[in-house]
Each structure stands twice: as C-alpha cells, then as structure tokens.
Amino acid sequence: MNRIQFFPHTPLIPTKKQAVVATERQSFRDELTKAEQTLKISKHAQQRLQERNIHINDEQWEMIGQKIVEAKQKGVRDSLVITDEAALIVSAVNQTVITAMHREEAQTQLFTNINGAIII
C-alpha cells in the first residue's frame, strides 16, 4: 500500500514581511555590536580633554575603541593608551576613558593600576 504524504508549500523566495523581519534583526545585531564597541568618555576625561586642548579625531577614536575591545578580549582591565598627542587611561571593562593628558605631560607621570598599554 502506498502512502501519500502532505508537505507544506514553503516559497523559495521569502515574503516581504520575512525579509523585513530578517533585516530588522540584522540591523539590531549590528547596532548592538556597534554599541558594545563604542568608547565612552567620562566627565572627568572630557574636562581634561577640553582644559588641555587635546583633539583626537574620529578615526583615532575608532582605532582606540577597536584596540580596547581587543585588549578586553585578552583580559586587560585598565590600559594606558598613547597617541601622538595624548595619553589616556581607559577602562577596558566598561570601555570608558577615565582621564587624559598631553603626551609630554605623561612623560613625568607614574601610572599605576594598569595592566595593558596601547601605543597608537
């Protein structure tokens, strides 16, 4: 005796609604990933950047953020980040710039409680 089985018809091309939902999910994932990699600046660090007239362009901020994510993945908690113009203390745990100073000013400082350094 032969059986006839019913297989539900599923279209090969997703409907508009399915495509929109998939796009929204991907957009949310992208935004979540982006938010996780966004570097925050504490009020104290923002004041120091303004007081000391330190300017870091968007490209450098992005690079610093990427390096902090890498450092966090390697177990770094607090890092000294040195650029051409500035020295920053950054918490890799919560991806926040804690303080900032000119690079020349940093040469005479002793940095404690850091377990990583990033030179850009």
Side-chain angles (χ1 to χ4, degrees):
M1 177 182 228
N2 291 334
R3 287 189 165 184
I4 298 174
Q5 292 183 333
F6 173 74
F7 292 101
H9 174 69
T10 55
L12 296 176
I13 301 172
T15 64
K16 275 189 174 181
K17 185 176 181 179
Q18 290 171 329
V20 168
V21 169
T23 302
E24 288 175 355
R25 281 188 197 137
Q26 188 59 41
S27 294
F28 179 75
R29 281 190 200 120
D30 292 344
E31 289 302 315
L32 184 60
T33 301
K34 189 176 178 182
E36 289 173 347
Q37 295 179 353
T38 301
L39 195 61
K40 297 177 261 330
I41 302 173
S42 70
K43 287 183 182 180
H44 174 79
Q46 187 65 43
Q47 285 178 326
R48 296 295 177 259
L49 290 167
Q50 289 174 350
E51 288 171 1
R52 295 170 173 149
N53 202 22
I54 298 170
H55 300 285
I56 299 175
N57 65 39
D58 291 341
E59 186 178 306
Q60 285 180 317
W61 279 123
E62 189 174 322
M63 185 180 298
I64 292 167
Q66 290 171 357
K67 292 299 181 184
I68 290 298
V69 169
E70 289 177 33
K72 183 178 179 180
Q73 291 170 349
K74 293 183 179 191
V76 173
R77 292 180 312 281
D78 293 301
S79 180
L80 170 64
V81 177
I82 299 175
T83 68
D84 290 339
E85 185 179 358
L88 312 168
I89 300 293
V90 182
S91 168
V93 173
N94 55 18
Q95 295 171 295
T96 303
V97 179
I98 298 169
T99 193
M101 64 190 73
H102 277 288
R103 188 169 175 164
E104 295 81 28
E105 182 183 1
Q107 290 176 351
T108 61
Q109 298 296 317
L110 173 66
F111 297 96
T112 60
N113 298 326
I114 61 168
N115 65 336
I118 300 169
I119 301 173
I120 297 179

